[in-house]
Amino acid sequence: MSFPLLTATAALPAVGAIATAAVPAARRSAAKWLALLVSLATLALAVTVLVRFDPDGDRYQLTESRAWIAEFGVRYELGVDGIGVALIGLTALLIPFIILAGWHDADPLETKSSRWRPTQGFFALILAVEAMVIISFEATDVFLFYIFFEAMLIPMYFLIGGFGDRAHAGSDENASAQRSYAAVKFLLYNLVGGLIMLAAVIGLYVVAGNFSLQEIAEARANGTLDMATSTERWLFLGFFFAFAVKAPLWPLHTWLPNAMGESTAPVAVLITAVVDKVGTFAMLRFCLGLFPEASKWATPVILVLALISIIYGALLAVGQRDIKRLVAYASISHFGFIVLGIFAMTSQGQSGATLYMVNHGLSTAALMLVAGFLISRRGSRLIADYGGVQKVAPVLAGTFLIGGLATLSLPGLAPFVSEFLVLVGAFARYPVVGIIATLGIVLAALYTLVLYQRTMTGPVKPEVSAMPDLRVRELVVVAPLIALLIGLGVYPKPLTELVNPAVEHTMSDVQQKDPEPEVEAAK
Amino acid sequence: MNPVNYLYLAALLFAIGATGVLIRRNAIVVFMCIELMLNACNLAFVAFSRMHGNLDGQIIAFFTMVVAAAEVVVGLAIIVSLFRSRHSASVDDASLMKL
Amino acid sequence: MENLIALLVAAPLLGAAVLLCGGRALDRAGHWLGTLLAAASFVVAVVLFADMLGKGAEERTLSQHLFSWLPVEGFQADVAFQLDQLSMTFVLLISGVGTLIHVYSIGYMEHDERRRRFFGYLNLFLAAMLLLVLADNYLLLYVGWEGVGLASYLLIGFWQHKPSAATAAKKAFLVNRVGDMGLSIAIMLMFTTFGTFAFGPVLEATGETSEGKLTAIGLMLLLAACGKSAQVPLQSWLGDAMEGPTPVSALIHAATMVTAGVYLIVRSGAIFNGAPEAQLVVTIVGAVTLLFGAIVGCAKDDIKKALAGSTMSQIGYMILAAGLGPIGYVFAIMHLVTHGFFKAGLFLGAGSVMHGMNDEVDMRKYGGLRKYMPVTFVTFGLGYLAIIGFPGLSGFFSKDKIIEAAFAKGGTEGWILGSVALLGAAITAYYMTRVMLLTFFGEKRWQPDAEGHAPHPHESPKTMTIPMIVLAFGSVFAGGFFGIGDRFLHWLEPVTGHKHGHSPLSAATVTGATVGVLLIGVALAYLQYGRGPVPVTAPRGSLLTRAARRDLLQDDFNHVVLVRGGEHLTRSLVYVDHTLVDGVVNGTAATMGGLSGRLRKLQNGYARSYAVSMFGGAAVLIAATLLMRAV
């Protein structure tokens, strides 16, 4: 038996979380360094996974399989395809930056007793989320996936509800009430989605007799497992609902602006760049993999929902007065693009959607973390409280602009590649859908540039006149993200080569071929 | 004598006990009524044991007595401590256990 | 030789990276580094040009494949360059004028503390613009296309502390994005039609698809061109873009970037040739913009905005020519190049005037400057003569050809287009003479400002005048060099193709008419502005003048319909999201809460009521069991 690399990648942050939580109250900075170290070690393991993974090899690689709850056919089965590897890489990459960006976000307030240990808790929770997200990307057993899909709500709940912006912490009762409202909303929304999925998981067991993704998919493909059309559709809806809540897709999105608005910037990044990706990833792996016919049946409705998300999210972003809520609505628009790419059922669309997941993680992280640095300096989330920042803090403004340009998918930066692929993929099969989605790029420019203009340009407001520029720690967070955004925008080939074979498999799952061009042009 | 009559008696005792539980406020009396209901059940068990000609019912009756004894100990302790804090033995005065 | 192509883009890109990432250490030498790298790009361009001239017309196209950019199943995008005569023309223009404007900016931006960043942005612009014209496929062109948009955004908003500059920058980017939408839809259409979007395969295969498809692609490309080249209806950003520093207006908003739309249409000639209806729309857009820009140019008192109106109008000429098909492509590009010289020169001259006049832009507060700024006066004057099409100068050759080609289109269309082009020439002569008279002739009209600083007009430093002199040289001779003996035609013909049109009017008639309307325009302007004193505050003017001052009310239309409408839409959507979508969620939660509130009333804490429910429940159960038995 070879070394269980996938288990190790998920277990390391889990162990790290326990260790971090156990650090004594007085040794606060030791907890931070421990968490950072663990996240870096996890990144090293994730890189090993990436290296050991052969894009042209089997569909699922580095597989592990053990009996777990034999009575119900639940197995501990792990395995990754190219899409999973890419997303594990993204997760492992972002967590160190999230930890570093939130370095001081959970320092205890003076007024509390010395036994209070928020710092340890904060970083332990982040690592716990990382562990659960990674194992969700690895699980090829539906039940195993379900457990961690749900369990990550617990640490997320505490991260949202327990740690607000420094600016609002302590005295402001109202902020604290808002925060717990956001946390409860997040929990209930996702719990409802999760419970409906649980019903579908049980239903799947009743129909299929086990939980193994590969076995069920194989049995469905060679006809040994016959599912009534209506059964398949109901099961599909159960799964899809949960993923659409997590993704989040209109009209199940309203938890996201609250959750992202009230939590600290690193936690907001954790939500939108990492945790939410489990939703879109699961659509690709479980919805399309297990229920191909039902997926095709539901495509028209889902495409409409995705389009509404794109346009609606962007329009609402334009109307926001709060920086973080603006980014949240922008993310809703971007998730619309991802879902559009997945359900366009073309190679370009699905490759684009996978790339979009990675690139959206990077771009939102860059924008949101810089926004967090900005907010921590002035103590306000309102756009109107800023103005002229670029005069006093040019580096901060510059990085904010690059994050914004990535959000509006400027060519040359990574998100453009994925957005264009999604658009082309959608257009190839549904031209009207493609054209409407293209409107999103104009709106994206609108909300990003309005945000930049109102906060960064114009006369310097007295409140921001003494604002310091980015510190070394903050630069260490932002610079690599920007380098990656540019690097993957100019040379996305390694990523596409990783993803392409997996996409081909998914395309064969749903038995779809790309539409042929009208003219076979001379090569 | 027809053993069925014992069952009638048991039903009567149970009904008296149940009524007592429902209409009396004094905790001691409610308690005694519960005992009455338990013993009505015992009587029914013993009667069934006799009717079916095996000992199962009698064994269960013994069990019930043991459990009832334990219950008396705990119950009386609760009533006494309640009386100490409230200066009353009325069950309606102890209504804090609501949402 | 082809390996040099990447250097063209790489040099300014390197400059941008170093200047923007490097810290204050580069503040003192940054502008020299930026200028040097722009010049390096120009030198490489000249080397490639010399090499190209040495080859036969058919072997001149060079291509360089750098790497595979975006390989996805059935979708192939490469980073690859193609250098043919058309690209070469642009490369020389961009890197040449670009270098001159770098030199000019050394003087112009001398007192700006963020000069290093300015040069970084300029280098970024050069890199993006060169990428745009060198790309061998539409997707890579799109990268350059948006790249120049970004550079333009950064440079228009360079003085970000001014809210007007920041707003203008945002507006330019947004309007351009609308155009970019057209470009991306065009690329998607190409992909679904041809399975590729590389120039070669697409343009060769145009014959194999339907006219409808080609028309759709053509119209989308036109939308893109309208955005970038400030053509009606997406022209509104160009006037505001004058908020940027003047060298930027000269390079980006006159000589190079705004002409990218013309490049796109000429490059996609094969598509338009197969779609006559799209071509017709192109000519209409060109003709409308030609008049629109000219009318706006007549009414503006801000010297840069008057020139911006003129730019719009001149690009209208180019678009009109490009819409004429093979009879016009070459002339569109020829006018583009000569326009690059004289308009850049005019803008630099305007910048020089502003430099000497404390950044005053109102021409009504100039007057009589020819005595104070002789070099500026002469170079500006030569540019002026070139743009109005004074016989023998650059503009004469290129504009005349376009007017001729418009008539040659034939039919009623030809007559209409030709007359519009002639009318445009008259108005051009009028508004440019107005600019000239207001600025350099007449009485001096400047006064001390509120703080008592009177401007002291003076000639600009050498770094500024030398580029102006070089450009004036180009304005005078380029047209003759290109036009006489059809040199330019032979140079470009292998790429764009050319067809001689049969004009209903003889060439001499057209030339005569052009010169005639020119004289009329000049005379009218002289009658109005040359004879008497000019009021410092503008008179109220006619209805048309007032509308033209407000850009023919296009901004007002946009404001009412798009801005206001958009604000209402987003505001109501925010409300809907909060009350309706979220309301349903919160409502569900509240209903659940209310229901459980009711239910919990049952939990009243009275032990005896619990006992009642227990007995009741037991009784019901027993009754049910008995009933089941009975049944």
Side-chain angles (χ1 to χ4, degrees):
Chain A
M1 181 100 194
S2 60
F3 179 69
L5 191 55
L6 292 185
T7 305
T9 316
L12 182 64
V15 173
I18 296 168
T20 310
V23 172
R27 309 289 302 277
R28 195 167 302 120
S29 66
K32 294 177 183 177
W33 284 106
L34 178 64
L36 184 61
L37 225 63
V38 169
S39 67
L40 287 173
T42 312
L43 177 59
L45 280 178
V47 171
T48 320
V49 171
L50 195 69
V51 173
R52 292 265 301 274
F53 182 83
D54 172 19
D56 301 317
D58 292 343
R59 177 169 188 179
Y60 293 106
Q61 295 180 28
L62 305 169
T63 49
E64 295 169 30
S65 181
R66 280 188 194 81
W68 184 23
I69 312 177
E71 289 79 358
F72 299 111
V74 178
R75 298 183 63 82
Y76 177 79
E77 274 191 349
L78 303 181
V80 284
D81 56 2
I83 302 171
V85 170
L87 290 172
I88 290 170
L90 171 75
T91 308
L93 180 79
L94 283 180
I95 299 291
F97 294 124
I98 289 173
I99 288 175
L100 210 51
W103 205 244
H104 296 301
D105 279 0
D107 286 350
L109 299 166
E110 307 272 319
T111 50
K112 299 275 179 164
S113 73
S114 60
R115 283 175 59 201
W116 200 52
R117 306 196 303 166
T119 318
Q120 283 84 342
F122 184 71
F123 292 103
L125 288 171
I126 291 179
L127 287 178
V129 172
E130 180 181 20
M132 292 177 189
V133 170
I134 288 180
I135 205 159
S136 307
F137 289 139
E138 291 169 346
T140 52
D141 184 282
V142 179
F143 195 79
L144 184 67
F145 170 82
Y146 173 75
I147 287 176
F148 288 101
F149 182 76
E150 286 294 278
M152 72 180 82
L153 298 181
I154 301 163
M156 281 316 299
Y157 170 77
F158 288 110
L159 279 173
I160 297 168
F163 302 90
D165 272 330
R166 223 10 38 146
H168 298 282
S171 58
D172 199 342
E173 282 293 320
N174 189 29
S176 154
Q178 286 281 325
R179 208 158 64 221
S180 50
Y181 168 73
V184 170
K185 196 169 177 180
F186 163 82
L187 189 70
L188 284 183
Y189 243 113
N190 282 282
L191 216 53
V192 169
L195 289 177
I196 290 176
M197 180 178 163
L198 178 62
V201 169
I202 295 170
L204 182 69
Y205 178 70
V206 171
V207 178
N210 66 56
F211 289 110
S212 166
L213 178 67
Q214 279 165 285
E215 274 178 38
I216 297 174
E218 253 169 51
R220 296 223 56 196
N222 59 29
T224 49
L225 172 59
D226 210 20
M227 228 186 257
T229 316
S230 63
T231 316
E232 187 186 340
R233 288 176 183 175
W234 280 112
L235 293 180
F236 168 82
L237 287 178
F239 277 81
F240 184 78
F241 186 81
F243 304 148
V245 168
K246 181 117 351 180
L249 198 63
W250 187 90
L252 304 171
H253 64 276
T254 54
W255 64 270
L256 187 71
N258 286 97
M260 278 178 76
E262 300 304 329
S263 54
T264 64
V267 174
V269 172
L270 193 66
I271 297 171
T272 182
V274 177
V275 171
D276 286 354
K277 295 298 181 307
V278 181
T280 46
F281 164 80
M283 284 182 198
L284 259 178
R285 182 175 266 188
F286 296 103
C287 284
L288 263 51
L290 292 173
F291 316 109
E293 291 307 317
S295 301
K296 280 186 269 186
W297 162 74
T299 296
V301 178
I302 292 172
L303 287 183
V304 170
L305 291 182
L307 273 185
I308 295 179
S309 291
I310 293 171
I311 305 293
Y312 184 89
L315 281 174
L316 274 162
V318 176
Q320 292 305 310
R321 282 176 289 183
D322 173 323
I323 299 176
K324 283 173 158 178
R325 287 179 68 93
L326 190 152
V327 179
Y329 278 107
S331 285
I332 291 170
S333 179
H334 289 142
F335 279 111
F337 274 108
I338 297 177
V339 174
L340 182 65
I342 292 174
F343 282 89
M345 309 263 181
T346 51
S347 311
Q348 300 91 36
Q350 293 187 345
S351 294
T354 311
L355 259 61
Y356 212 125
M357 292 185 219
V358 176
N359 295 338
H360 171 256
L362 296 174
S363 68
T364 307
L367 182 65
M368 193 67 182
L369 291 179
V370 180
F373 300 151
L374 181 72
I375 290 167
S376 69
R377 281 164 166 70
R378 167 76 172 79
S380 164
R381 302 193 324 236
L382 292 182
I383 295 170
D385 285 348
Y386 297 88
V389 173
Q390 79 85 33
K391 187 99 177 162
V392 285
V395 180
L396 192 154
T399 48
F400 191 68
L401 181 62
I402 296 179
L405 292 173
T407 304
L408 64 78
S409 302
L410 189 85
L413 298 175
F416 167 72
V417 168
S418 39
E419 190 163 302
F420 196 80
L421 279 177
V422 167
L423 287 174
V424 163
F427 187 87
R429 207 178 283 280
Y430 310 99
V432 179
V433 172
I435 290 173
I436 298 176
T438 316
L439 270 178
I441 71 170
V442 179
L443 293 172
L446 184 60
Y447 61 70
T448 314
L449 294 184
V450 168
L451 173 66
Y452 182 79
Q453 187 194 352
R454 297 217 177 125
T455 52
M456 299 295 171
T457 68
V460 182
K461 287 224 168 149
E463 295 89 349
V464 303
S465 58
M467 192 177 272
D469 212 333
L470 284 191
R471 298 182 180 88
V472 175
R473 169 179 65 87
E474 294 165 337
L475 262 182
V476 168
V477 172
V478 177
L481 286 176
I482 289 177
L484 269 172
L485 281 173
I486 297 175
L488 284 178
V490 175
Y491 196 67
K493 200 172 154 193
L495 202 54
T496 57
E497 281 180 349
L498 183 67
V499 166
N500 282 347
V503 166
E504 272 174 52
H505 283 299
T506 316
M507 287 292 287
S508 70
D509 278 349
V510 289
Q511 291 158 358
Q512 288 278 21
K513 284 210 173 62
D514 291 328
E516 288 284 317
E518 193 185 305
V519 177
E520 260 310 308
K523 294 286 170 203
Chain B
M1 204 164 100
N2 190 355
V4 177
N5 290 339
Y6 291 99
L7 291 183
Y8 289 135
L9 178 61
L12 188 67
L13 286 174
F14 191 90
I16 293 169
T19 318
V21 168
L22 292 184
I23 63 173
R24 298 301 297 264
R25 290 204 187 112
N26 189 306
I28 304 283
V29 177
V30 170
F31 205 70
M32 282 158 58
C33 290
I34 292 172
E35 288 301 311
L36 195 58
M37 285 157 71
L38 279 171
N39 283 316
C41 294
N42 279 349
L43 184 59
F45 274 124
V46 174
F48 281 128
S49 173
R50 173 82 185 181
M51 284 159 76
H52 294 299
N54 61 18
L55 292 176
D56 292 0
Q58 298 188 33
I59 291 167
I60 291 179
F62 277 115
F63 264 113
T64 316
M65 282 181 214
V66 174
V67 172
E71 182 227 329
V72 168
V73 174
V74 177
L76 278 178
I78 292 174
I79 291 171
V80 168
S81 64
L82 204 66
F83 185 77
R84 275 188 190 156
S85 65
R86 295 281 166 111
H87 301 293
S88 143
S90 166
V91 287
D92 284 2
D93 283 352
S95 62
L96 278 177
M97 293 295 281
K98 63 180 172 193
L99 284 165
Chain C
M1 205 35 92
E2 58 266 15
N3 292 334
L4 284 179
I5 300 176
L7 261 186
L8 288 170
V9 182
L13 194 62
L14 174 76
V18 170
L19 289 175
L20 293 179
C21 297
R24 293 198 177 168
L26 283 167
D27 271 356
R28 285 180 52 210
H31 47 284
W32 289 112
L33 178 72
T35 312
L36 197 72
L37 285 167
S41 194
F42 180 61
V43 170
V44 176
V46 170
V47 169
L48 283 167
F49 179 59
D51 176 67
M52 191 179 274
L53 283 181
K55 291 182 190 162
E58 298 306 319
E59 301 152 8
R60 283 180 172 169
T61 304
L62 292 178
S63 56
Q64 181 183 14
H65 185 272
L66 278 190
F67 54 87
S68 165
W69 181 26
L70 192 51
V72 173
E73 184 69 26
F75 180 98
Q76 187 69 32
D78 294 334
V79 175
F81 298 131
Q82 171 190 324
L83 184 71
D84 57 11
Q85 290 91 321
L86 181 60
S87 304
M88 192 73 237
T89 314
F90 272 90
V91 167
L92 284 172
L93 177 75
I94 295 160
S95 59
V97 176
T99 308
L100 286 177
I101 283 169
H102 273 78
V103 173
Y104 179 90
S105 305
I106 294 174
Y108 191 84
M109 300 298 284
E110 195 172 359
H111 306 296
D112 198 299
E113 53 175 357
R114 292 160 72 231
R115 180 161 66 165
R116 168 178 60 88
R117 197 176 298 185
F118 181 79
F119 276 83
Y121 292 159
L122 273 189
N123 270 347
L124 179 67
F125 168 76
L126 278 190
M129 189 72 205
L130 289 168
L131 181 66
L132 195 165
V133 297
L134 285 170
D136 93 329
N137 61 68
Y138 283 97
L139 196 64
L140 194 60
L141 179 145
Y142 188 37
V143 176
W145 191 265
E146 288 237 345
V148 293
L150 169 68
S152 156
Y153 167 78
L154 293 169
L155 285 166
I156 295 171
F158 185 71
W159 287 315
Q160 291 186 331
H161 52 90
K162 288 201 297 188
S164 57
T167 308
K170 182 188 69 185
K171 183 175 174 187
F173 198 98
L174 281 178
V175 177
N176 268 295
R177 265 265 153 154
V178 177
D180 296 349
M181 217 180 103
L183 185 53
S184 50
I185 294 175
I187 297 176
M188 291 189 252
L189 269 169
M190 286 175 203
F191 178 71
T192 53
T193 314
F194 304 110
T196 173
F197 33 75
F199 289 152
V202 167
L203 299 177
E204 276 164 29
T206 46
E208 296 167 42
T209 185
S210 64
E211 194 184 312
K213 272 274 164 62
L214 289 179
T215 308
I217 296 175
L219 289 178
M220 285 298 123
L221 289 175
L222 175 65
L223 179 64
C226 282
K228 191 91 349 184
S229 294
Q231 299 295 295
V232 175
L234 297 179
Q235 86 297 352
S236 63
W237 63 273
L238 187 63
D240 293 333
M242 297 299 126
E243 286 289 342
T246 308
V248 173
S249 311
L251 177 62
I252 301 185
H253 305 120
T256 55
M257 184 190 87
V258 286
T259 57
V262 183
Y263 171 78
L264 185 68
I265 293 177
V266 174
R267 175 59 83 193
S268 316
I271 293 172
F272 283 95
N273 292 346
E277 278 164 33
Q279 277 185 324
L280 182 65
V281 181
V282 174
T283 52
I284 292 172
V285 165
V288 169
T289 313
L290 186 169
L291 289 181
F292 187 104
I295 292 171
V296 169
C298 293
K300 293 283 184 185
D301 288 329
D302 177 326
I303 184 167
K304 284 178 72 182
K305 290 199 171 167
L307 288 177
S310 155
T311 304
M312 216 184 273
S313 166
Q314 297 300 316
I315 296 171
Y317 272 108
M318 301 171 208
I319 296 276
L320 168 64
L324 295 173
I327 52 173
Y329 291 142
V330 173
F331 303 130
I333 301 297
M334 187 162 129
H335 192 54
L336 191 154
V337 176
T338 56
H339 174 257
F341 283 114
F342 56 69
K343 187 51 70 59
L346 287 171
F347 264 110
L348 294 190
S352 174
V353 170
M354 286 161 57
H355 196 69
M357 296 289 290
N358 288 355
D359 287 331
E360 177 61 64
V361 290
D362 188 350
M363 292 188 288
R364 289 182 184 276
K365 295 183 180 145
Y366 292 164
L369 286 175
R370 68 178 183 281
K371 284 179 292 224
Y372 301 90
M373 305 177 175
V375 181
T376 307
F377 169 63
V378 172
T379 53
F380 195 93
L382 289 172
Y384 155 74
L385 290 176
I387 193 175
I388 62 173
F390 193 79
L393 273 71
S394 287
F396 169 74
F397 289 99
S398 50
K399 202 188 285 178
D400 191 49
K401 292 279 187 200
I402 292 179
I403 297 173
E404 212 181 302
F407 279 113
K409 166 113 178 147
T412 333
E413 286 159 43
W415 281 103
I416 295 174
L417 293 175
S419 318
V420 167
L422 266 182
L423 179 62
I427 309 180
T428 307
Y430 172 81
Y431 67 73
M432 283 311 299
T433 311
R434 174 174 175 269
V435 168
M436 197 68 196
L437 289 173
L438 283 178
T439 307
F440 292 102
F441 293 89
E443 306 274 304
K444 63 174 191 179
R445 293 186 297 272
W446 60 85
Q447 275 135 15
D449 60 12
E451 291 156 29
H453 299 294
H456 298 285
H458 54 87
E459 190 53 88
S460 300
K462 284 258 160 41
T463 47
M464 288 168 70
T465 50
I466 290 174
M468 283 153 61
I469 293 168
V470 175
L471 287 171
F473 195 76
S475 319
V476 176
F477 297 110
F481 180 75
F482 293 155
I484 296 170
D486 286 339
R487 276 206 194 89
F488 201 74
L489 183 64
H490 297 313
W491 160 253
L492 267 191
E493 199 184 346
V495 183
T496 58
H498 185 71
K499 213 164 65 188
H500 275 290
H502 298 288
S503 172
L505 301 171
S506 72
T509 323
V510 173
T511 311
T514 313
V515 175
V517 296
L518 170 122
L519 291 177
I520 296 172
V522 173
L524 276 177
Y526 180 75
L527 286 178
Q528 199 172 352
Y529 296 99
R531 293 192 309 167
V534 178
V536 175
T537 44
R540 193 150 173 273
S542 67
L543 203 62
L544 180 65
T545 315
R546 271 178 284 148
R549 278 194 197 125
R550 309 190 58 150
D551 298 315
L552 294 177
L553 304 182
Q554 226 249 320
D555 271 341
D556 303 74
F557 175 81
N558 285 349
H559 189 76
V560 172
V561 176
L562 296 176
V563 179
R564 284 273 179 75
E567 272 171 8
H568 284 299
L569 178 66
T570 53
R571 233 179 266 153
S572 39
L573 271 182
V574 169
Y575 180 77
V576 165
D577 194 55
H578 190 72
T579 50
L580 213 69
V581 183
D582 210 18
V584 170
V585 175
N586 284 341
T588 314
T591 316
M592 287 295 174
L595 269 180
S596 54
R598 296 271 159 72
L599 273 176
R600 88 177 183 198
K601 294 247 165 70
L602 293 177
Q603 297 280 347
N604 55 11
Y606 293 112
R608 292 184 306 145
S609 75
Y610 299 160
V612 170
S613 53
M614 274 169 66
F615 284 126
V620 169
L621 277 179
I622 291 168
T625 320
L626 289 178
L627 262 177
M628 294 298 284
R629 277 213 177 160
V631 176

